[in-house]
Amino acid sequence: MAKTKGRVTLPSEGNFLNETKEMMDRWGADALRDSDGTKLPEEVKALDASVYTTYFVARGHNEFAKEHMEECQQMYLMSLRVTAVKDTVEIPFMEGYFGQQVAPDYVHDCKTWWEVMDRTSGEPVALDSWDVDEAGNIVTVRHALPFHEYTVSFLVYALWDPTQMYNHITNDWGDKPHEIPFDVRQPASGRFAREYLIQWLKDNPKTDVVRFTTFFYHFTLVFNDKAKEKFVDWFGYGATVSVKALEEFEQEYGYRLRPEDIVDNGYYNSTFRVPTRQYLDYMDFIQRFVAKKAGELVALVHEAGREAMMFLGDNWIGTEPYGTYFPNIGLDAVVGSVGGGATLRLISDIPGVKYTEGRFLPYFFPDTFYEGNDPCVEARENWLGARRALMRKPLDRIGYGGYLSLAYKFPEFVDYIEKVTDEFREIYDNIGGSRPYCGLKVAVLNCWGKLRSWQSFMVAHALWYKQTYSYFGMLESLSGMSADVVFLSFDDILNRGIPDDIDVIINAGAAGTAFSGGDAWLNEELVTRIRRFVYEGGGFVGIGEPSAAHFGGRFFQLADVLGVDKELGFSLSTDKYFTEEQPHHFLREDRKTGFDFGEGVKNIYALSADTEIGEFSDGEIHLSAHPYGKGRGVYIAGLPYSYENTRLLLRSIYYSAGQEDRMKRWYADNPLCEVHAYPETKKYAIVNNSGDAQKTAVYDGTGSCQMLCLEGSQILWGSM
Amino acid sequence: MAKTKGRVTLPSEGNFLNETKEMMDRWGADALRDSDGTKLPEEVKALDASVYTTYFVARGHNEFAKEHMEECQQMYLMSLRVTAVKDTVEIPFMEGYFGQQVAPDYVHDCKTWWEVMDRTSGEPVALDSWDVDEAGNIVTVRHALPFHEYTVSFLVYALWDPTQMYNHITNDWGDKPHEIPFDVRQPASGRFAREYLIQWLKDNPKTDVVRFTTFFYHFTLVFNDKAKEKFVDWFGYGATVSVKALEEFEQEYGYRLRPEDIVDNGYYNSTFRVPTRQYLDYMDFIQRFVAKKAGELVALVHEAGREAMMFLGDNWIGTEPYGTYFPNIGLDAVVGSVGGGATLRLISDIPGVKYTEGRFLPYFFPDTFYEGNDPCVEARENWLGARRALMRKPLDRIGYGGYLSLAYKFPEFVDYIEKVTDEFREIYDNIGGSRPYCGLKVAVLNCWGKLRSWQSFMVAHALWYKQTYSYFGMLESLSGMSADVVFLSFDDILNRGIPDDIDVIINAGAAGTAFSGGDAWLNEELVTRIRRFVYEGGGFVGIGEPSAAHFGGRFFQLADVLGVDKELGFSLSTDKYFTEEQPHHFLREDRKTGFDFGEGVKNIYALSADTEIGEFSDGEIHLSAHPYGKGRGVYIAGLPYSYENTRLLLRSIYYSAGQEDRMKRWYADNPLCEVHAYPETKKYAIVNNSGDAQKTAVYDGTGSCQMLCLEGSQILWGSM
């Protein structure tokens, strides 16, 4: 393979010029970046590479912030719950919060902006029944109802940027100043952000790409009184709140938001919640503001002849790369962290930017790069996991972060990344921006739709959670599957119908969540449209508790389509006859290992003899299919990510759409292998996703088949 | 032990006189009964024993029934669901039902008495939009909404008593006539039931006890078109329905019931459903009627100088032994089938009768009594299981059913039952009708309360169900525990408060069921009364999904009391800090084996550091305790029946009430042993519940302790 160059970004640092040149050469890097805690020295900036510079808009300027403490960012917090045992109750509302991070807002009138909630009745407490002791941070409720629980929803000022706080505390930075986040919605801060950037661009002529990290509002990250994480929502709009924002919202939308609209019982409108109209309005309001203000900054960057890149994280809230207003920002690029296939697609699918970049793992930090550890293990896992998705929709660039000097000490790692970067460029060039072959078009259906593309079931940026991995596996599987994937919301279906080109709808998640849909399923129009879609030949794949909302004698509102329902206890008196697995079934034709449904779902039973049971154990169904008109419903109890489960999902998709005879095109029989074809460039790739050599039958676009052997993790390119 | 006699009922049969005498002697029987398919011959009736004769009120009189087919019993049935794919839809509503059991009622106006439901909207279809084709048993719906599901709720006549039908089909009785159930609410049937009994009493002078099997209405038991069980609800009021009943209901209650009030989405008001006001009214209506009519028959029995005994089963619906009207029937006795401790207490706790009798297992039928099988195994299991409960509240009599001649062929079985009958009489005499020592008073709280004492979680008379055993174990454990057990409904608490003498409240069951309570928990008065109760020193033990109803940021409405809640996905963003099991805890002090929580409940987490975690595995809590004022909440994820779990429940009860220092009174350390004390008769019994010899420390009423050895299943009696 001829040595190639480009599309790779490296961190660099001081006193590392020659090694930087060497690494640039080996990895073919054409861009250099700074990292948290490092700055690029001038001699490095002079190298033949683009220079990325991290830029913080709304923190890191304490000289300004300290003079404008009234423009600090704000948040609504919910106090702990206090049970009244007599008719007065005291709520020490700051208890459990970190006084160095947040301080109660006593500037604005508490009676106007705070709310005391009776959580037992669900009603706010009358304003004249409570008072605030500002010295003690205590709310006293009078005329309390004994044994009701009370909370205070109170406004705070945010005194410390949570990312800097986390690094500060973790790395013991001692008396290093706490970076105060200010709110560009406020007049002085808005001006400052603009003026500072103008000057900064002048002061940093070598910077080619301004890497915004990020814009204005950090995702919600609240610490407890022991300075440990208390609440983290990577999607949370918590830090966007301010009195000014709420007043402007009221002006624009004609109604006033209550604190409870933000606090939401202490759930703070997690993406797992079926969103309220108020919260959707509020998100829209924030997005419009962020797009406008960020657009102004990006315009300044362009005026200075530089590119603007946004880091997808930290202060990304309100940018919503899949939202309506994102293109208005005018960004050149987005860079984000790649944990696997779904997080890669989350970046690479972002519309309206010139290029995307993924920061791969491991970060060059001492927690991985220490003597005796092999950083290649994490690198290989990360690369192979993400590569599947790259084959579908490549990032335009890849990169690494941390201390290059650390990585340099691990020659095997340097060798491995050299292969990775070469392989990345080979993939990129072979695909050449063309659309890969997609056997079918799949819509993932939930409350969020396109806005949260590739973002379902994510807590704290796709960490493993017991409650999510059995659903998130579906996204991870799809991220590298030869299917066209779109994200559809219930409102999309209600407002515009099911798009004609959709072959299969997937609905996955736990009952009551925004991903399953909760009470959205009580909408007759929604269920009848999906029934019609399947009846006329579409496919419906339900994972976990699809269409779950107990009504009319059904828990799954599409039980008629799926052929299964969940026994809640109410129909135990009805005999359940159907418990036999089908001896052979398309869905498990190539299954060699036992099934793994992850957390699964209990008490699923078949409604009739028509239900084709694919797996029955422990007195319940975990896999089944059911004919419905010309289409089918397929039920899967859970789908943790694995190559076998990816294959199961692929089979479910084809089977549900009644197109199982079309599955074996650009297809590898061995579940550890996949085939990606690019008709526009007349190329195809046979990929071994595993680290071991594999033998597989490979089917071309006409269904012709040949046996092939692949080395561990090999990609075999061919021409049509 | 001196040979004792009495309190035992045996079946007998023809040509078995001498053996009957021998068996009466060996087992000390003082009563003889016939069985299904046997009649007592005159020479047996002449023996020195009471004679029980099975009596059917509302079936077995086809000569009458055939002449009054218009007085057949009726039922509401729900058709299968049919999806409209255009604007007319045909519903073949008898599909799936057994034409020999039920026939549509075309006598009464369908438009008046039937209902066509749009199950997708939940609304009934307008009367002018549907028609019935009586020849084809088809309802045609016009102006149907495509892809809505439709059902028909239709009235049928019941043509065949389901118990006789079951026996008929199972035993292949060929052209033996089908016994037609008639409805004593109808004029001719009411007269007939009365007159026939008067004559029957004259014709059967040797009968001492009329064993009603039972009165008027069979529990709901519906067969499918293959003559297999389709729906069985041992508590179901399905067969009580008739046009006449519905008309009389309307007159008495001032409103009309809809078919849907009975059909209930096809759940037919299972006891797992939170009962509607309409259904409670209807039950009350039926109970009053049954008590009145049954009372008239019982009076006739008494006038003839005989005793009236009711079989708790078959046509028992509406008698409700724990209901308000049951004492009005004036029965002398109730007899029922004993499957274990809870079903024993279900019989022995019945108030207002002179005596109770339990029919023990095995039934003397060929399915158990065949060559090569040892019927002692089932007998021993049944006896030891039920004996615990007998020690708390004994039946007054025990008995057996089936063919005595079959049992006679198994001498070891005869020996074993001889020991059982002697032991029963010894227990009975030692207790002498006195109240056993109860350490604490426990209330089982659910929607049904007293009315369904010992009847929670039962499907088809306490068969094992995957969805119930983890809860039913709680009842079985309590049935033999030295605690006073009462059953309390939510309405009891709302109307009359928590009785002063209750120490501990137990709430157990799956979310949304009548046993957990569903939306009953949204009542502020309910939760605040229970919070106050615990705060002031009471105990609350929650099993499974106690107080579950998602509201105000909590799934468990008593999460504050329990110190745990269930993660539904909405609060994944909140850090869960508390996952450490307490190294030592009262709740698991004597636990030697691993825990068995049965089906358990997923995703339970601790709310604060105050929660004492007893068991944590698989990322979730299954056992915990939490202080709340002077009392405590205890959480258990599930409690399948076992001696170890009985001990865990006992510990939970004492710990929740803060009375753990009082537990070791009349107590055995070894979980396989229990101590029962009878202060009024100054006796106590140390019981080995296991079949093997056991060593145990035994504590008397002052807490003094001694070590003892017991033989397998031994009861060691002592005097105070």
Side-chain angles (χ1 to χ4, degrees):
Chain A
M1 212 184 323
K3 189 71 193 164
T4 55
K5 186 167 157 58
R7 307 206 166 278
V8 172
T9 304
L10 286 192
S12 187
E13 59 199 277
N15 300 318
F16 206 64
L17 180 63
N18 287 331
E19 297 92 333
T20 298
K21 282 199 243 178
E22 182 192 340
M23 295 288 271
M24 279 178 65
D25 196 45
R26 294 227 16 217
W27 295 358
D30 59 351
L32 292 168
R33 56 166 288 202
D34 53 7
S35 275
D36 287 2
T38 62
K39 287 217 171 284
L40 292 186
E42 287 306 314
E43 73 268 22
V44 165
K45 289 189 191 170
L47 292 172
D48 178 24
S50 294
V51 171
Y52 292 12
T53 311
T54 300
Y55 187 87
F56 298 109
V57 175
R59 64 150 160 141
H61 304 292
N62 276 12
E63 70 292 349
F64 164 80
K66 281 187 177 163
E67 281 174 23
H68 299 86
M69 290 303 283
E70 74 289 355
E71 295 196 356
C72 261
Q73 292 194 7
Q74 298 202 270
M75 266 195 271
Y76 268 120
L77 297 177
M78 187 177 96
S79 74
L80 77 177
R81 290 158 181 262
V82 179
T83 304
V85 296
K86 46 192 176 62
D87 63 359
T88 61
V89 57
E90 294 194 341
I91 308 171
F93 52 84
M94 276 291 288
E95 200 175 304
Y97 291 104
F98 187 41
Q100 294 185 48
Q101 184 190 12
V102 292
D105 169 8
Y106 293 130
V107 176
H108 300 95
D109 178 36
C110 297
K111 291 290 174 101
T112 306
W113 298 104
W114 298 19
E115 200 168 49
V116 178
M117 287 293 295
D118 177 340
R119 292 286 168 199
T120 304
S121 71
E123 297 295 326
V125 174
L127 292 179
D128 56 5
S129 291
W130 56 273
D131 290 301
V132 185
D133 164 13
E134 298 189 7
N137 291 335
I138 286 173
V139 162
T140 302
V141 181
R142 281 166 281 104
H143 318 303
L145 297 168
F147 296 99
H148 281 231
E149 280 190 302
Y150 293 88
T151 63
V152 179
S153 303
F154 59 110
L155 266 181
V156 295
Y157 283 111
L159 306 176
W160 196 355
D161 174 83
T163 287
Q164 201 241 0
M165 172 166 54
Y166 176 81
N167 292 330
H168 199 291
I169 292 164
T170 307
N171 302 316
D172 229 344
W173 284 348
D175 56 3
K176 187 168 178 178
H178 299 179
E179 295 187 0
I180 303 165
F182 47 91
D183 187 351
V184 298
R185 184 184 291 277
Q186 306 289 351
S189 298
R191 264 195 316 277
F192 175 81
R194 213 182 142 72
E195 287 162 8
Y196 190 92
L197 179 58
I198 292 167
Q199 187 58 44
W200 185 92
L201 287 163
K202 287 180 190 155
D203 296 344
N204 290 271
K206 294 268 177 65
T207 295
D208 301 294
V209 178
V210 181
R211 188 183 186 273
F212 285 103
T213 303
T214 309
F215 291 110
F216 315 126
Y217 303 114
H218 202 283
F219 60 83
T220 317
L221 180 53
V222 180
F223 285 68
N224 74 7
D225 49 358
K226 295 179 184 71
K228 300 274 181 229
E229 183 186 288
K230 180 184 178 73
F231 180 91
V232 54
D233 183 356
W234 199 73
F235 303 94
Y237 277 56
T240 65
V241 169
S242 65
V243 165
K244 189 152 187 285
L246 294 169
E247 286 172 339
E248 290 175 2
F249 178 92
E250 187 178 355
Q251 271 192 333
E252 287 187 39
Y253 288 78
Y255 71 97
R256 194 183 156 121
L257 289 174
R258 284 177 50 199
E260 185 62 12
D261 291 323
I262 305 296
V263 161
D264 178 27
N265 294 290
Y267 300 139
Y268 299 97
N269 298 291
S270 149
T271 61
F272 287 74
R273 293 281 280 167
V274 173
T276 60
R277 175 49 47 200
Q278 290 89 323
Y279 189 61
L280 290 173
D281 281 352
Y282 182 72
M283 286 176 70
D284 186 74
F285 166 75
I286 294 296
Q287 285 171 54
R288 285 189 295 107
F289 172 79
V290 167
K292 181 164 168 288
K293 281 283 163 193
E296 289 171 18
L297 299 186
V298 168
L300 293 175
V301 171
H302 288 164
E303 280 164 30
R306 326 292 175 82
E307 286 190 343
M309 172 183 269
M310 161 181 141
F311 173 61
L312 187 69
D314 291 4
N315 294 46
W316 76 295
I317 292 303
T319 62
E320 297 295 356
Y322 293 92
T324 314
Y325 312 108
F326 179 75
N328 303 349
I329 302 177
L331 284 162
D332 299 284
V334 174
V335 58
S337 172
V338 173
T343 49
L344 186 143
R345 291 292 293 268
L346 165 52
I347 303 162
S348 69
D349 275 16
I350 290 174
V353 286
K354 286 191 223 142
Y355 61 98
T356 58
E357 177 171 321
R359 193 191 67 205
F360 279 66
L361 298 177
Y363 224 59
F364 304 162
F365 269 180
D367 55 353
T368 306
F369 290 84
Y370 59 88
E371 212 180 300
N373 191 42
D374 179 6
C376 291
V377 174
E378 192 181 346
R380 194 176 292 115
E381 190 189 6
N382 187 237
W383 176 245
L384 287 186
R387 194 180 65 175
R388 292 182 60 234
L390 212 56
M391 303 301 294
R392 307 305 307 165
K393 174 70 182 166
L395 299 158
D396 299 288
R397 306 183 54 84
I398 64 175
Y400 294 87
Y403 300 97
L404 189 62
S405 57
L406 266 180
Y408 188 77
K409 292 183 201 152
F410 290 75
E412 286 177 20
F413 178 76
V414 173
D415 288 349
Y416 181 69
I417 299 302
E418 183 172 0
K419 283 185 202 124
V420 164
T421 50
D422 285 341
E423 187 168 85
F424 167 67
R425 284 183 288 262
E426 186 185 27
I427 293 169
Y428 192 85
D429 293 343
N430 277 329
I431 298 180
S434 76
R435 197 176 161 277
Y437 167 81
C438 295
L440 291 174
K441 185 158 186 173
V442 174
V444 177
L445 176 66
N446 56 43
C447 285
W448 293 109
K450 182 162 179 277
L451 186 72
R452 294 258 175 271
S453 296
W454 302 106
Q455 294 160 62
S456 316
F457 317 111
M458 281 194 193
V459 186
H461 202 46
L463 290 186
W464 186 96
Y465 276 75
K466 177 181 167 67
Q467 290 85 357
T468 60
Y469 76 95
S470 309
Y471 300 122
F472 187 74
M474 176 271 288
L475 280 191
E476 190 65 24
S477 293
L478 284 180
S479 72
M481 191 182 283
S482 72
D484 199 0
V485 181
V486 295
F487 293 82
L488 215 58
S489 74
F490 300 117
D491 281 344
D492 289 340
I493 292 186
L494 292 171
N495 296 334
R496 292 183 290 280
I498 299 167
D500 285 341
D501 58 350
I502 299 295
D503 297 297
V504 176
I505 291 172
I506 299 179
N507 178 241
T513 63
F515 304 115
S516 169
D519 286 352
W521 289 106
L522 301 184
N523 187 307
E524 303 168 27
E525 205 53 41
L526 177 71
V527 293
T528 55
R529 287 188 182 193
I530 295 177
R531 282 177 184 154
R532 183 189 289 278
F533 165 79
V534 180
Y535 188 80
E536 292 175 350
F540 183 82
V541 177
I543 301 174
E545 297 181 313
S547 74
H550 186 228
F551 176 76
R554 292 285 191 239
F555 186 55
F556 295 165
Q557 288 304 308
L558 292 177
D560 55 335
V561 171
L562 292 164
V564 297
D565 203 355
K566 183 173 177 175
E567 174 59 64
L568 301 178
F570 308 135
S571 50
L572 286 171
S573 289
T574 299
D575 285 85
K576 311 292 192 303
Y577 303 118
F578 314 107
T579 60
E580 290 291 309
E581 288 180 7
Q582 302 235 340
H584 304 286
H585 199 281
F586 177 79
L587 288 179
R588 48 171 207 212
E589 245 168 41
D590 50 15
R591 192 86 192 183
K592 293 205 176 67
T593 58
F595 284 104
D596 175 10
F597 301 107
E599 295 298 303
V601 170
K602 279 183 190 275
N603 302 323
I604 303 297
Y605 68 96
L607 296 174
S608 79
D610 291 341
T611 304
E612 305 156 17
I613 301 179
E615 201 272 357
F616 187 95
S617 60
D618 200 19
E620 59 204 18
I621 288 172
H622 305 103
L623 176 67
S624 62
H626 182 256
Y628 190 85
K630 293 184 193 161
R632 290 191 181 106
V634 170
Y635 178 77
I636 311 173
L639 198 84
Y641 180 60
S642 69
Y643 294 129
E644 288 79 5
N645 277 350
T646 298
R647 189 54 55 95
L648 174 61
L649 182 60
L650 183 77
R651 286 186 168 272
S652 300
I653 287 167
Y654 274 92
Y655 193 69
S656 68
Q659 304 212 30
E660 55 272 30
D661 55 332
R662 287 186 55 238
M663 185 180 74
K664 293 192 176 183
R665 298 188 191 171
W666 300 120
Y667 175 87
D669 252 350
N670 183 333
L672 301 178
C673 301
E674 283 173 308
V675 181
H676 304 280
Y678 308 91
E680 296 165 24
T681 58
K682 305 273 183 208
K683 293 208 167 130
Y684 64 86
I686 304 157
V687 183
N688 179 358
N689 288 317
S690 81
D692 303 317
Q694 297 293 338
K695 191 177 170 184
T696 182
V698 172
Y699 297 77
D700 68 12
T702 67
S704 302
C705 169
Q706 59 171 321
M707 288 304 298
L708 277 177
C709 291
L710 291 104
E711 288 167 35
S713 74
Q714 189 184 0
I715 302 181
L716 211 67
W717 288 95
S719 295
M720 296 183 191
Chain B
M1 215 186 320
K3 188 70 195 161
T4 56
K5 187 170 156 55
R7 309 208 165 277
V8 172
T9 304
L10 286 191
S12 186
E13 58 199 279
N15 299 319
F16 206 64
L17 182 61
N18 288 332
E19 297 92 333
T20 299
K21 282 200 247 179
E22 183 192 338
M23 295 287 271
M24 282 177 64
D25 197 45
R26 300 256 327 252
W27 294 358
D30 60 351
L32 292 168
R33 55 165 287 200
D34 52 9
S35 276
D36 286 2
T38 62
K39 287 217 168 285
L40 292 186
E42 287 306 314
E43 73 267 22
V44 165
K45 290 188 188 171
L47 291 173
D48 179 23
S50 293
V51 171
Y52 291 12
T53 310
T54 299
Y55 187 87
F56 298 109
V57 175
R59 64 149 160 142
H61 304 293
N62 276 12
E63 70 293 350
F64 165 80
K66 281 186 175 163
E67 279 173 23
H68 299 84
M69 289 304 282
E70 76 288 357
E71 295 196 356
C72 261
Q73 292 193 8
Q74 298 203 270
M75 266 194 271
Y76 268 121
L77 297 178
M78 187 177 95
S79 74
L80 77 177
R81 290 158 181 262
V82 179
T83 303
V85 294
K86 45 193 176 64
D87 63 359
T88 63
V89 56
E90 295 194 340
I91 308 171
F93 52 83
M94 277 290 289
E95 200 175 305
Y97 290 105
F98 188 39
Q100 295 186 48
Q101 185 190 12
V102 292
D105 170 7
Y106 292 130
V107 176
H108 301 94
D109 177 36
C110 296
K111 292 290 175 100
T112 307
W113 297 105
W114 298 18
E115 200 167 48
V116 178
M117 288 293 294
D118 177 340
R119 292 287 167 199
T120 303
S121 71
E123 297 296 325
V125 174
L127 292 180
D128 55 6
S129 291
W130 56 273
D131 290 300
V132 186
D133 163 13
E134 298 189 8
N137 291 335
I138 286 173
V139 161
T140 303
V141 181
R142 281 166 281 103
H143 318 302
L145 298 168
F147 295 99
H148 281 229
E149 281 191 301
Y150 293 89
T151 64
V152 180
S153 302
F154 59 109
L155 266 181
V156 295
Y157 283 111
L159 307 175
W160 198 353
D161 174 83
T163 288
Q164 201 240 359
M165 173 165 53
Y166 176 80
N167 291 331
H168 198 291
I169 292 164
T170 307
N171 302 316
D172 229 345
W173 284 349
D175 56 2
K176 188 169 177 177
H178 299 178
E179 294 186 1
I180 303 165
F182 48 92
D183 186 351
V184 298
R185 184 184 290 276
Q186 306 290 350
S189 298
R191 266 195 315 277
F192 175 82
R194 209 180 145 75
E195 286 162 7
Y196 190 92
L197 178 59
I198 292 168
Q199 187 57 45
W200 187 91
L201 288 164
K202 287 180 189 154
D203 295 345
N204 290 271
K206 294 269 177 66
T207 296
D208 299 297
V209 178
V210 181
R211 188 181 187 276
F212 285 102
T213 305
T214 309
F215 291 110
F216 315 127
Y217 303 113
H218 201 283
F219 61 83
T220 316
L221 180 54
V222 180
F223 285 68
N224 74 6
D225 48 359
K226 295 178 183 70
K228 301 272 182 229
E229 183 186 289
K230 180 184 177 74
F231 180 91
V232 55
D233 183 357
W234 198 72
F235 302 94
Y237 277 56
T240 65
V241 169
S242 65
V243 165
K244 190 154 187 284
L246 294 169
E247 285 173 340
E248 290 175 4
F249 178 92
E250 187 178 356
Q251 271 191 336
E252 287 186 39
Y253 288 77
Y255 71 95
R256 194 183 156 123
L257 290 175
R258 285 177 49 198
E260 186 61 12
D261 291 323
I262 306 296
V263 161
D264 177 28
N265 294 292
Y267 300 138
Y268 300 98
N269 298 290
S270 148
T271 61
F272 286 74
R273 293 279 281 167
V274 172
T276 60
R277 175 50 47 200
Q278 290 88 324
Y279 189 62
L280 290 173
D281 281 352
Y282 182 72
M283 287 176 70
D284 187 74
F285 167 75
I286 294 296
Q287 285 172 53
R288 285 190 295 107
F289 173 79
V290 166
K292 181 163 167 289
K293 281 283 162 191
E296 288 171 17
L297 299 185
V298 167
L300 294 174
V301 171
H302 288 164
E303 278 165 31
R306 325 291 175 82
E307 286 189 342
M309 172 183 270
M310 161 181 140
F311 172 61
L312 187 69
D314 291 4
N315 294 47
W316 77 295
I317 293 302
T319 61
E320 297 294 355
Y322 293 92
T324 315
Y325 312 109
F326 179 75
N328 303 350
I329 303 176
L331 284 162
D332 299 284
V334 174
V335 59
S337 173
V338 174
T343 50
L344 187 143
R345 291 291 293 270
L346 165 53
I347 303 163
S348 70
D349 274 17
I350 291 174
V353 288
K354 287 190 224 141
Y355 60 98
T356 58
E357 178 171 320
R359 193 192 67 204
F360 278 67
L361 297 176
Y363 225 59
F364 304 163
F365 270 180
D367 56 352
T368 307
F369 290 84
Y370 59 88
E371 213 181 300
N373 191 42
D374 178 7
C376 291
V377 174
E378 191 180 349
R380 194 175 293 114
E381 189 188 7
N382 186 237
W383 176 245
L384 289 187
R387 194 179 66 175
R388 293 181 62 234
L390 211 56
M391 304 299 296
R392 307 304 308 166
K393 174 69 182 167
L395 298 158
D396 299 287
R397 305 183 55 84
I398 65 174
Y400 294 88
Y403 300 97
L404 190 60
S405 57
L406 265 181
Y408 188 77
K409 291 182 201 155
F410 290 74
E412 285 178 19
F413 178 76
V414 173
D415 288 351
Y416 181 69
I417 299 302
E418 184 172 0
K419 283 187 203 123
V420 164
T421 51
D422 284 342
E423 187 167 87
F424 168 65
R425 283 182 289 262
E426 186 185 28
I427 294 169
Y428 193 85
D429 293 343
N430 277 330
I431 299 180
S434 77
R435 197 176 162 280
Y437 167 80
C438 294
L440 290 174
K441 186 159 185 173
V442 174
V444 177
L445 176 66
N446 56 43
C447 284
W448 293 109
K450 183 163 180 276
L451 185 72
R452 294 258 175 271
S453 296
W454 301 105
Q455 294 160 62
S456 316
F457 319 109
M458 281 194 193
V459 186
H461 202 46
L463 290 186
W464 186 96
Y465 274 76
K466 175 179 168 67
Q467 290 85 358
T468 60
Y469 76 96
S470 309
Y471 300 122
F472 187 74
M474 176 270 289
L475 281 191
E476 190 66 24
S477 293
L478 284 179
S479 72
M481 191 183 282
S482 72
D484 199 359
V485 181
V486 295
F487 293 81
L488 214 59
S489 73
F490 300 117
D491 282 344
D492 289 340
I493 292 185
L494 292 171
N495 297 333
R496 291 183 290 281
I498 299 166
D500 285 341
D501 58 351
I502 299 294
D503 296 297
V504 175
I505 291 172
I506 299 179
N507 178 240
T513 63
F515 304 116
S516 169
D519 286 352
W521 289 106
L522 302 184
N523 187 308
E524 302 168 29
E525 203 54 42
L526 177 70
V527 293
T528 54
R529 286 189 182 192
I530 295 176
R531 282 176 183 156
R532 182 187 291 278
F533 165 80
V534 180
Y535 188 81
E536 291 175 350
F540 182 81
V541 177
I543 301 174
E545 298 181 312
S547 75
H550 187 229
F551 176 76
R554 291 287 192 235
F555 187 54
F556 296 165
Q557 288 304 308
L558 293 177
D560 55 334
V561 171
L562 292 165
V564 296
D565 203 353
K566 183 174 177 174
E567 173 59 63
L568 301 178
F570 309 133
S571 50
L572 285 171
S573 289
T574 299
D575 284 84
K576 312 292 192 301
Y577 303 118
F578 314 107
T579 60
E580 290 291 308
E581 288 180 6
Q582 301 235 338
H584 304 286
H585 198 280
F586 177 79
L587 289 179
R588 49 171 207 210
E589 245 168 38
D590 49 16
R591 192 86 193 185
K592 292 204 178 68
T593 58
F595 283 104
D596 175 11
F597 301 108
E599 295 298 303
V601 170
K602 279 183 190 277
N603 302 326
I604 303 297
Y605 68 95
L607 297 174
S608 78
D610 291 342
T611 304
E612 304 156 16
I613 300 178
E615 200 273 355
F616 187 94
S617 60
D618 200 20
E620 58 203 20
I621 288 172
H622 304 104
L623 176 67
S624 63
H626 181 255
Y628 190 84
K630 293 183 191 161
R632 289 191 182 107
V634 170
Y635 177 77
I636 312 174
L639 200 84
Y641 180 61
S642 68
Y643 295 129
E644 288 80 4
N645 276 351
T646 299
R647 187 56 54 95
L648 173 61
L649 182 60
L650 183 78
R651 286 186 168 272
S652 300
I653 288 168
Y654 274 92
Y655 193 69
S656 69
Q659 304 211 29
E660 55 272 29
D661 55 330
R662 286 186 55 237
M663 185 181 74
K664 294 192 176 183
R665 298 189 191 170
W666 301 120
Y667 176 87
D669 253 350
N670 183 333
L672 300 177
C673 300
E674 284 172 306
V675 181
H676 304 281
Y678 308 92
E680 296 165 24
T681 59
K682 306 271 184 211
K683 294 209 165 126
Y684 63 87
I686 303 157
V687 183
N688 179 357
N689 288 318
S690 81
D692 303 317
Q694 298 293 339
K695 191 174 170 185
T696 182
V698 172
Y699 298 78
D700 69 11
T702 66
S704 302
C705 168
Q706 60 172 320
M707 287 305 297
L708 276 176
C709 291
L710 291 105
E711 289 167 36
S713 74
Q714 188 183 2
I715 303 181
L716 211 68
W717 287 95
S719 294
M720 297 185 192

